[in-house]
Amino acid sequence: MPMNFHDPSNRTSYTTRTADASWLELISKHLNLKGKQAVDIGCGGGIYTRALLTLGAGHVTGVDYSAEMLNGAKNNLTSTDAVSWIQGNAYQTSLPSGQYDAVLERALIHHLNNLPACFAEAHRILKPGGTLIIQDRTPEDCLLPGSSTHIRGFFSEKYPRLAEIEISRRHPSEEVIKALQISGFHDIQELKLEELRAVYDHSEALFEDLRRRTGRSILHECSDIELEELISYISDKIVGSSPIVEKDPWTIWLAKA
């Protein structure tokens, strides 16, 4: 069954990583956030809220529809006054209009059906000339083959139904771009990123991460028995690989309000 983002047991599922240097480098190359006001919509456990601060944002507002995710984020970022948290959703954040320099929507839009409404809300809260950053996987990103660096690719190889679920909830790039244009955005750029997810000293460390389904909502579609069968399948595929350097393929769109 799909991941329940409101379940207290999932509170820390999106708090255990830090944003990779490749992500920080790509965003800083295209956007100067120093002293700026930013919003992280669908902030989850606050991993990229922290990353926006690392890039120099003067203040970041984290928005999530799940109170449990926000509780995890608050516990994850306890040593800064440069963050505020509000419970809201991508269609109605309750934030004031025209007040923000940048909005981040990372790993969010595959949970949404109405992209124009989501992007219209981002456009509303951005200052004129502000930047919307969208990061998600396209159907093509999801169908890349599995390897010792692309562990996620093995999920669909073992269970084709997971590929069907992934593709059904992912938006093609042309659909994203059209929705951005409808919502008033311009100067749209599409970028590709292989973002380092984690380095595992040995395979068992990876397998324990998979058993916890950490930050991998698609694995909530698998029973515990199926998950163990998947781990056995992956073990056969990556035998001899050590350390395991896992990377995730992403598409990033930048758009100006």
Side-chain angles (χ1 to χ4, degrees):
M1 61 186 299
M3 178 177 176
N4 181 359
F5 288 94
H6 304 287
D7 186 340
S9 66
N10 292 327
R11 178 183 300 174
T12 61
S13 185
Y14 291 89
T15 64
T16 56
R17 294 176 47 246
T18 57
D20 181 56
S22 62
W23 188 91
L24 297 170
E25 181 180 355
L26 184 146
I27 298 302
S28 63
K29 180 180 178 181
H30 293 274
L31 186 61
N32 179 11
L33 287 174
K34 188 173 182 179
K36 301 297 179 63
Q37 300 289 307
V39 181
D40 182 5
I41 300 179
C43 64
I47 293 171
Y48 288 82
T49 307
R50 186 191 300 277
L52 293 171
L53 292 174
T54 300
L55 290 174
H59 188 275
V60 183
T61 302
V63 181
D64 204 280
Y65 83 130
S66 165
E68 291 302 332
M69 291 292 111
L70 288 174
N71 286 334
K74 292 173 185 177
N75 292 332
N76 192 22
L77 282 83
T78 58
S79 59
T80 178
D81 295 325
V83 178
S84 57
W85 309 101
I86 68 166
Q87 188 172 1
N89 63 63
Y91 302 131
Q92 189 173 9
T93 62
S94 300
L95 293 173
S97 300
Q99 297 297 307
Y100 301 95
D101 301 287
V103 170
L104 171 65
E105 296 181 343
R106 183 190 183 279
L108 169 71
I109 62 172
H110 65 277
H111 296 294
L112 306 177
N113 294 320
N114 191 338
L115 292 189
C118 167
F119 298 158
E121 175 66 358
H123 193 279
R124 181 188 68 80
I125 66 176
L126 280 165
K127 296 176 181 178
T131 303
L132 173 60
I133 309 163
I134 305 160
Q135 179 174 347
D136 218 292
R137 294 184 182 89
T138 63
E140 292 77 13
D141 294 330
C142 293
L143 293 177
L144 293 172
S147 69
S148 60
T149 59
H150 185 225
I151 301 300
R152 184 179 289 264
F154 292 127
F155 303 173
S156 298
E157 290 179 18
K158 174 61 177 173
Y159 298 119
R161 65 183 172 82
L162 297 184
E164 296 174 4
I165 292 170
E166 282 282 43
I167 292 171
S168 69
R169 66 180 186 166
R170 302 290 175 171
H171 301 280
S173 182
E174 56 268 24
E175 179 183 336
V176 175
I177 292 172
K178 182 177 180 180
L180 286 167
Q181 292 170 335
I182 290 172
S183 305
F185 286 95
H186 57 90
D187 293 345
I188 300 166
Q189 300 179 67
E190 179 184 324
L191 309 170
K192 292 291 186 178
L193 174 66
E194 282 197 356
E195 185 178 7
L196 177 68
R197 177 187 177 86
V199 178
Y200 305 95
D201 292 335
H202 48 80
S203 59
E204 192 54 40
L206 166 64
F207 300 154
E208 283 304 309
D209 191 60
L210 293 174
R211 288 186 180 102
R212 292 190 295 268
R213 299 173 170 86
T214 308
R216 307 174 197 264
S217 62
I218 189 65
L219 292 184
H220 287 263
E221 301 286 347
C222 295
S223 69
D224 290 345
I225 293 174
E226 288 176 323
L227 186 54
E228 288 302 322
E229 292 175 350
L230 173 61
I231 288 171
S232 179
Y233 177 83
I234 294 172
S235 179
D236 290 341
K237 293 290 186 178
I238 63 171
V239 61
S241 300
S242 183
I244 299 166
V245 180
E246 184 181 9
K247 297 182 178 181
D248 284 333
W250 294 96
T251 301
I252 295 177
W253 298 267
L254 303 177
K256 292 291 183 181

